[in-house]
Amino acid sequence: MSGANGGDLLEGVVLAPAVSPAPSAFSSLSPCVHCGFCLQACPTYLATGDEADSPRGRIVLMRALERGEIAPTDAALLHHLDACLGCRGCEPVCPSGVGYGRGLETARAMLAKERGFRPLARAILTVFGRNGLWRTVFTGARWVRDLGIAGAFAGRGRQGFGMAMIAATKPGRRAVRREADRPIEGDVRRPASPAGPAVALFRGCVMDTLFSHVHEATRRTLLANGYRVIDIGGQICCGALHDHAGDREGAITLARVNLRAFANRADYVVVNSAGCGALLKDYGHLLGSSEAEAFGTKVRDVAELLADRGPRTGGVLDMTVAYDAPCHLQHAQRVHDAPLAVLRAIPGLRVQLLPGFDRCCGSAGIYSLLEPAMSRAVLDAKIRTFVEASPPPALVVTGNPGCLMQIGGGLRAEGLPIQVAHPVELLDWSYQTGGVYGKASDR
Ligand code: SF4
Ligand code: SF4
């Protein structure tokens, strides 16, 4: 495919009887005028230079799919839509307001119905759909990490990179963490107001196992800023991985369980994973009910809640960090300044916004497992910015588990002495350093 409007797009593709969804299903793509402003914001286009790997090219493909001019089993169509990260980096730069994400979601659900799922995708989605399975898998991964096996076998090859990603989940600043991981109840010098908003923590799957230290930091920092943090049982994976892969039914099943678990139990539902937060906020669209819509309005990223309260200032952390904006926080949730407000509450911290800090890292849910070559090509471009930074950052800070693992894995695979951390981890360390939680002798 080539050309501004994809005029020769259909050369050689299989024409098929129309298998189209409802006529309005792709309406979010209608405003596209093929101007091409989105091309330079698209990581896959930048990696391949192929128009069909750009937002504009994929919109042409999706419209042809809608009209039944391309078969949903067409190999070229599948290749180029599978290669899309779903990062939505093309949306904010589009002057016509094209809703690319909604269109991709519709196309993927349609393709999933027609061709089913690739075996690896099916296996992964099955694991994430059952609490017992993902907990077993990630608990095993945690052992592999804690025994040092992941770090020892980290490398650039496919298996080595998987180990590097697991090793990257290791909590940073271990000495500080030992002190910080004390029980949270009553360990804050300024106690939470009894009248403070009640916040229910969304635990998730990867976050609840490999990143449980981020949950602890989330609880402590919210408590220190006047929120009452409550635990809700009966939660399950949010369904974002299913939704992005086109498994709408799987996502809806999980969403219904969460809706029941959280029903009117708190003022806010707090999330520290950008990918989960984006879908939880969008449950109204997914489930099409007023109850789900109301639930979505209560969901907040942890950075949003902290920024609403200032947040209170911590102790000095004299270090340089690079902030990397998760796609599902900035593009899907439109949250830009709150994580930076969290970092600004840390005296002495120098925050870099390096070129491409707002561009996808190539993680994209299960994309890095299904499309490893493109995922690594996109990641390599980002890793280069850390290598070239002057001064080099001590840490890369980002608020999504997939990004933490992808960027952290890439840094380890390259042997770079740069760690990764969630913004609330840094605030938590700063609160430790500044005595916000009280000294051990005060407890
Ligand atoms: S999606 Fe928007 S920016 Fe991209 S070609 Fe269409 S109108 Fe232009
Ligand atoms: S979602 Fe991301 S990868 Fe897909 S077309 Fe848009 S910018 Fe490119």
Side-chain angles (χ1 to χ4, degrees), residues 98-274:
V98 169
Y100 180 90
R102 286 270 187 258
L104 180 69
E105 191 179 276
T106 303
R108 285 199 167 151
M110 191 177 165
L111 296 178
K113 270 195 186 141
E114 293 297 321
R115 70 157 169 176
F117 295 96
R118 290 182 272 178
L120 179 58
R122 176 42 66 205
I124 296 169
L125 296 178
T126 300
V127 168
F128 279 96
R130 291 175 175 78
N131 269 359
L133 284 181
W134 62 253
R135 196 168 284 284
T136 304
V137 168
F138 290 128
T139 301
R142 202 167 145 160
W143 285 344
V144 167
R145 178 193 74 189
D146 293 346
L147 291 170
I149 298 168
F153 289 96
R156 279 192 60 83
R158 195 161 181 181
Q159 278 78 25
F161 191 74
M163 287 293 175
M165 290 174 80
I166 293 171
T169 67
K170 195 171 174 176
R173 296 279 300 261
R174 304 194 78 201
V176 175
R177 184 178 63 85
R178 264 199 303 278
E179 181 63 20
D181 276 352
R182 295 171 63 86
I184 59 164
E185 295 302 332
D187 72 347
V188 178
R189 185 172 280 174
R190 186 182 72 181
S193 160
V199 176
L201 175 65
F202 180 75
R203 305 187 68 94
C205 41
V206 182
M207 292 306 297
D208 205 30
T209 44
L210 290 167
F211 291 99
S212 57
H213 52 284
V214 176
H215 277 347
E216 295 310 315
T218 298
R219 286 195 182 91
R220 281 189 293 269
T221 52
L222 286 173
L223 193 59
N225 282 279
Y227 293 98
R228 288 181 293 130
V229 182
I230 59 174
D231 268 317
I232 300 280
Q235 307 181 36
I236 198 165
C237 168
C238 64
L241 299 178
H242 299 75
D243 194 46
H244 298 164
D247 182 5
R248 303 304 297 278
E249 283 177 23
I252 286 170
T253 302
L254 297 171
R256 287 194 176 126
V257 173
N258 283 324
L259 214 54
R260 270 198 304 277
F262 282 94
N264 300 318
R265 304 278 300 279
D267 297 310
Y268 296 109
V269 176
V270 65
V271 195
N272 49 26
S273 157

Side-chain angles (χ1 to χ4, degrees), residues 41-44 55 58 84-90 100:
C42 175
T44 58
R58 291 185 178 120
C84 176
L85 293 150
C87 67
R88 295 169 64 176
C90 41
Y100 180 90

